[in-house]
Amino acid sequence: MHELVERMYPLCRSITGDGVRATLDIVGEYIPLDVHEVPTGTQVLDWTVPQEWNIRDAYIADASGRRVVDFAESSLHVLGYSVPVSATLPLSELRAHLHTLPDQPNLVPYRTSYYKPDWGFCLAQETLDALPDGEYEVCVDSTLEDGHLTYAEHVVPGRVPDEVIVSCHVCHPSLANDNLAGIAVATYLARALAEHQPYYTYRFIFAPGTIGAITWLARNKERIGRVKHGLVLACAGDRGALTYKRSRRGDAEIDRVLTHTLSTSQRPHETKEFTPYGYDERQYCSPGFDLGVGSLTRTPYAGYPEYHTSADDLDFVSPEAMADTLAVCREAFAVLDRNRRYLNQSPYGEPQLGRRGLYDALGGRSDTKQAQMAMLWVLNLSDGEHSLLDIAERSGLAFSAVADAADALGAAGLIKA
């Protein structure tokens, strides 16, 4: 996963353009993608697909021709969506187009101007402080013209058409944690799910932030009813503890599953309530759709000093942290995939388990007592109202033990989904 982040890191991404396509080309080497191109001017809900932005070069050069700010060194150096400019300006006029972080003087900020025509450069405050007064050559070799918004999907077929969506944004330039780590974890999660056919169909969405998710929702209204659960992945590689943000509903099944998974794993973690700000969970959870979509990060957005700065680099993301995020996703989706409601087919009194060979099947297990209790709990609460997760939480037993018991009881004909 870290190698995948390294490959994507140098590319200049934005909400449209060749950087997004190049990123998806790389992801497409790991998992097959269905790439969609949506033309400029397309109405998507209350938004309109903007013009496409591409950039070839940009710099600020001093009187000697030396580039004091150079896009070739980092894609963060240019204000995202900067319109073309070629001019010579005194530093006094140039300052209005320069963006710095005075409180973090050695870092370059990430700034954009998607929907207001502008141009600018981002640089370290200490670099700006070292610039003498004088004339500077300014060049932004970019295009802003009719084109397309690009997003991609990957589907892992399940045993049922009901869908779980996993969404991550692909519009940030050289920011390793936000959100290249999320793209990498999503990619490897898709590969892991495909190893064994899951119960649900899993749809992975790689789209620009905000406008990309809105575009996907606008183009998929007919399938929204299939979406039963969802997860937005972002900031998946920093060394902070995991954070789960609940869906707008607050008690959606994905909320309960992630809360249960994190709690029983004994990992350091935090669970937050929904707010209509953050990543694309706020689009999927907008009131007209109100999908059960939560958000999983490590340290949340804006919660670490490296956020949206040049310090969010390849050293900031940890292979171990990404592996841990992936493991939690796999554990949570294993619970989600097995969580059912059952009906006891022999509800009058306790059925005789011995004559069905169920006790014998438990004889060699090291957790015989727990497995036996799990069977009794599943039999007692399989009334069509309680899910296996309900039973695990009420009994205090591990979900896996409860699900294994349900499998055994189902095979014996004692319960039915």
Side-chain angles (χ1 to χ4, degrees):
M1 286 186 287
H2 199 273
E3 288 179 359
L4 176 53
V5 171
E6 288 179 358
R7 291 187 64 191
M8 297 185 291
Y9 184 76
L11 299 174
C12 182
R13 280 164 291 274
S14 190
I15 55 172
T16 62
D18 292 334
V20 174
R21 296 186 185 97
T23 300
L24 295 177
D25 284 345
I26 292 173
V27 174
E29 297 176 20
Y30 295 76
I31 54 175
L33 293 178
D34 186 7
V35 178
H36 306 269
E37 298 276 6
V38 184
T40 295
T42 302
Q43 189 71 26
V44 285
L45 306 181
D46 195 45
W47 295 59
T48 304
V49 173
Q51 289 188 309
E52 181 177 325
W53 182 70
N54 286 292
I55 184 166
R56 289 168 290 276
D57 194 14
Y59 61 86
I60 301 173
D62 62 18
S64 70
R66 180 178 67 94
R67 295 190 176 192
V68 296
V69 179
D70 192 353
F71 168 76
E73 292 181 355
S74 171
S75 58
L76 293 178
H77 275 311
V78 174
L79 178 76
Y81 254 62
S82 281
V83 298
V85 61
S86 178
T88 300
L89 298 173
L91 182 59
S92 59
E93 291 185 26
L94 182 56
R95 284 181 180 275
H97 296 276
L98 302 182
H99 304 270
T100 65
L101 295 168
D103 294 336
Q104 296 171 291
N106 63 327
L107 301 182
V108 178
Y110 165 54
R111 298 287 185 268
T112 64
S113 185
Y114 294 144
Y115 303 106
K116 177 184 176 184
D118 197 0
W119 64 269
F121 290 85
C122 300
L123 65 160
Q125 180 67 46
E126 61 187 22
T127 301
L128 176 58
D129 291 343
L131 295 181
D133 288 334
E135 299 285 313
Y136 289 86
E137 179 189 357
V138 177
C139 173
V140 177
D141 183 10
S142 65
T143 56
L144 188 59
E145 55 194 15
D146 288 355
H148 297 82
L149 178 146
T150 309
Y151 71 92
E153 297 174 283
H154 170 79
V155 176
V156 180
R159 298 196 296 275
V160 298
D162 291 344
E163 292 188 358
V164 179
I165 59 172
V166 179
S167 179
C168 52
H169 59 277
V170 296
C171 53
H172 285 18
S174 297
L175 299 173
N177 194 42
D178 182 18
N179 184 48
L180 297 181
I183 297 171
V185 170
T187 300
Y188 276 81
L189 177 59
R191 293 175 68 167
L193 288 169
E195 291 173 0
H196 306 284
Q197 187 182 34
Y199 177 76
Y200 289 109
T201 294
Y202 286 81
R203 182 175 298 274
F204 289 78
I205 303 168
F206 301 89
T210 305
I211 185 66
I214 286 171
T215 299
W216 185 87
L217 287 164
R219 289 165 56 90
N220 289 274
K221 283 185 176 180
E222 78 286 348
R223 71 165 61 249
I224 293 300
R226 297 186 195 174
V227 177
K228 304 304 179 185
H229 320 282
L231 190 65
V232 169
L233 276 175
C235 300
D238 68 85
R239 292 168 175 81
L242 284 155
T243 302
Y244 178 69
K245 176 182 171 183
R246 295 179 183 274
S247 71
R248 177 180 181 268
R249 300 178 191 174
D251 61 350
E253 189 171 344
I254 192 72
D255 300 327
R256 296 187 58 210
V257 166
L258 261 297
T259 300
H260 175 82
T261 301
L262 289 168
S263 297
T264 57
S265 74
Q266 299 185 332
R267 289 176 172 89
H269 70 278
E270 184 177 2
T271 301
K272 292 180 173 289
E273 296 303 317
F274 175 79
T275 62
Y277 187 75
Y279 292 111
D280 284 326
E281 67 278 0
R282 68 186 194 271
Q283 310 307 333
Y284 301 116
C285 292
S286 56
F289 295 107
D290 195 23
L291 298 176
V293 176
S295 172
L296 183 67
T297 63
R298 301 196 73 85
T299 308
Y301 59 88
Y304 50 95
E306 298 84 358
Y307 179 77
H308 280 192
T309 77
S310 55
D312 186 355
D313 57 16
L314 294 173
D315 292 332
F316 182 64
V317 294
S318 157
E320 293 78 14
M322 284 190 285
D324 186 52
T325 306
L326 174 61
V328 166
C329 290
R330 295 186 68 173
E331 292 165 20
F333 287 162
V335 174
L336 192 66
D337 251 21
R338 298 182 75 184
N339 193 30
R340 306 276 186 283
R341 287 179 171 80
Y342 289 89
L343 275 174
N344 189 329
Q345 301 300 292
S346 181
Y348 300 102
E350 183 180 301
Q352 188 176 8
L353 301 180
R355 71 179 176 84
R356 293 176 170 85
L358 291 171
Y359 280 147
D360 293 340
L362 301 176
R365 295 178 56 142
S366 60
D367 61 344
T368 300
K369 178 71 172 176
Q370 177 177 261
Q372 178 181 330
M373 286 303 301
M375 284 190 181
L376 296 177
W377 273 107
V378 171
L379 283 168
N380 191 269
L381 292 181
S382 288
D383 52 8
E385 298 295 326
H386 294 84
S387 69
L388 295 185
L389 183 56
D390 292 327
I391 297 169
E393 291 177 341
R394 182 165 176 179
S395 67
L397 296 169
F399 178 87
S400 58
V402 172
D404 288 346
D407 289 345
L409 294 167
L414 286 173
I415 61 172
K416 185 177 180 180

